[in-house]
Amino acid sequence: MKAFLILEDGTVFTGTSIGAAKEVISEIVFNTSMTGYLEVLTDPSYAGQAVVMTYPLIGNYGVTPDMESRKPWPDAYIVRELSRMPSNFRCEGSIQDFLLQYDIPGIAGIDTRALTKILREKGTMNGMITTDEEYHIEEILPRLKAYKTGNVVDRVTCAEKSILRGRGKKVALLDLGAKNNIAQSLNRRGCEVTIYPARTTAAEILASEPDGIMLSNGPGDPKDCTGIIEEIKKLYQSDTPIFAICLGHQLMALATGADTHKMKYGHRGGNHPVKDLATGRVYISSQNHGYVVDTEHLDSSIAVPAFVNVNDGTNEGLSYVGKNIFTVQFHPEASPGPQDSAYLFDRFIEMMQR
């Protein structure tokens, strides 16, 4: 079946329908990872977005037991070629069947290189995937321009509190759209991890007397999370050690008076170099974000830059002055991506032991 990808600038790509044959409007973003497509699909940070995979052949090892959350979250999936014959000793099915199972539409057979160049040159934009060959572009474009991702954190967070038992330090993980490997990375280091829904109050978290607090990754514009920011202000004012990743990093910055802004096309992939400003060492990192903390007007009495992106100079982490708090924009838990920066979990545990 034919499918069409229509961008809000009027560009149209024609390909083949994959997954569910339904119409969807979403924000179109690209990911440069060569492997780990299942982890990308099940990363809650992609809620409200349609993902373009820049690597041309996707699905060649099928669906494996590597899901990072309970289900896939992208609104749609866009690939150059979808493998028809997956092969891997851990393979449990095909990506095509996986997309159908979760009612996710997609398009294959388009020039994803050309699409990515458009997004890099013009910036992230909204688009529609449809199988309707009688579409009227003049009716579609206003709908594309009006689309907003909205409050997606409430859609992806857990419904109730859960615990990963451990004999070490007790960590409270605020689930803003957390990937599974964040809690597992702490649990493998002996921590007992209590996972809380995003709307949990600071009072409830602090009442459990955790040794440390983890603020997770998640989707959407951080400025939409006004209620959560107010609770994070209270967590900041406590003396509890805090480590935050991605959206959590942005929310802590907003809670302490800093600002964020939307990037032209964001960082999504497993090959982004970040520099530790304390040591000068560069790490290759996994990233997935479209917003960034603005350091131009950062109050140096509250926080100072700790990491910087080597490619474009944007902020990749903050260290908070007089507090046991540090935050990073990238993903030290990887999944997918390199594990170069996994040592940050060890730093967090050392912080809790002081």
Side-chain angles (χ1 to χ4, degrees):
M1 183 187 303
K2 266 189 180 181
F4 306 92
L5 170 62
I6 305 165
L7 301 181
E8 67 176 278
D9 70 347
T11 304
V12 178
F13 291 88
T14 302
T16 304
S17 174
I18 58 174
K22 70 176 187 179
E23 186 174 282
V24 67
I25 294 176
S26 191
E27 181 181 53
I28 313 297
V29 300
F30 64 89
N31 185 295
T32 58
S33 297
M34 296 176 68
T35 61
Y37 51 78
L38 187 65
E39 291 94 327
V40 169
L41 279 166
T42 55
D43 181 348
S45 294
Y46 283 112
Q49 297 175 325
V51 181
V52 182
M53 300 301 294
T54 62
Y55 189 70
L57 179 60
I58 297 298
N60 50 340
Y61 54 87
V63 174
T64 54
D66 300 310
M67 290 178 64
E68 278 299 305
S69 64
R70 63 185 181 274
K71 55 168 281 188
W73 292 102
D75 290 336
Y77 204 46
I78 303 165
V79 300
R80 176 68 182 90
E81 182 180 347
L82 196 66
S83 175
R84 293 168 293 176
M85 298 178 63
S87 177
N88 185 278
F89 73 100
R90 300 167 73 232
C91 178
E92 298 176 345
S94 70
I95 289 293
Q96 166 68 6
D97 291 340
F98 186 73
L99 295 174
L100 283 170
Q101 178 185 349
Y102 290 98
D103 198 33
I104 296 174
I107 185 170
I110 70 167
D111 188 342
T112 50
R113 179 182 174 87
L115 173 56
T116 300
K117 288 177 71 175
I118 290 172
L119 298 177
R120 283 180 60 92
E121 291 166 7
K122 297 185 178 181
T124 296
M125 64 181 79
N126 297 332
M128 171 190 282
I129 292 177
T130 181
T131 57
D132 181 7
E133 297 189 39
E134 305 299 323
Y135 67 84
H136 299 287
I137 196 165
E138 65 277 4
E139 296 176 2
I140 291 171
L141 294 183
R143 294 170 58 196
L144 298 184
K145 294 181 186 300
Y147 173 79
K148 304 289 184 185
T149 58
N151 183 1
V152 278
V153 169
D154 286 338
R155 193 196 310 172
V156 301
T157 190
C158 58
E160 57 187 20
K161 182 174 73 172
S162 62
I163 300 175
L164 281 178
R165 298 294 179 185
R167 297 184 177 181
K169 295 295 181 181
K170 294 182 179 180
V171 177
L173 169 58
L174 189 62
D175 177 11
L176 306 167
K179 291 160 62 184
N180 289 340
N181 204 34
I182 293 178
Q184 290 167 358
S185 293
L186 292 165
N187 191 239
R188 284 194 296 269
R189 289 165 170 81
C191 295
E192 177 168 294
V193 184
T194 303
I195 304 167
Y196 291 90
R199 296 289 175 176
T200 305
T201 64
E204 180 179 344
I205 292 172
L206 294 172
S208 68
E209 298 184 345
D211 297 303
I213 298 169
M214 184 93 214
L215 307 180
S216 82
N217 65 294
D221 184 342
K223 291 180 180 177
D224 288 339
C225 302
T226 52
I228 298 171
I229 290 169
E230 290 303 311
E231 297 305 314
I232 290 176
K233 285 180 182 178
K234 299 170 188 175
L235 296 177
Y236 169 82
Q237 290 163 0
S238 75
D239 292 324
T240 309
I242 299 175
F243 178 26
I245 292 172
C246 199
L247 179 63
H249 154 77
Q250 297 163 6
L251 295 181
M252 178 59 75
L254 290 171
T256 53
D259 196 11
T260 59
H261 64 265
K262 189 171 186 177
M263 305 175 76
K264 185 175 181 181
Y265 50 82
H267 297 153
R268 297 175 182 88
N271 58 349
H272 293 267
V274 296
K275 184 177 183 179
D276 185 334
L277 296 177
T279 65
R281 184 170 178 178
V282 173
Y283 300 89
I284 304 302
S285 68
S286 174
Q287 300 203 15
N288 175 13
H289 64 104
Y291 293 82
V292 68
V293 173
D294 182 356
T295 55
E296 285 187 15
H297 304 102
L298 189 67
D299 186 343
S300 60
S301 68
I302 295 177
V304 294
F307 289 87
V308 66
N309 189 288
V310 176
N311 287 336
D312 61 15
T314 54
N315 179 255
E316 292 284 359
L318 296 172
S319 179
Y320 284 78
V321 179
K323 292 281 187 177
N324 285 323
I325 299 174
F326 73 98
T327 67
V328 293
Q329 181 62 75
F330 52 96
H331 288 262
E333 82 287 352
S335 293
Q339 299 178 346
D340 297 28
S341 55
Y343 73 93
L344 293 174
F345 289 102
D346 299 315
R347 179 189 292 182
F348 181 44
I349 290 172
E350 290 170 8
M351 184 188 297
M352 290 188 284
Q353 293 171 339
R354 292 173 189 166

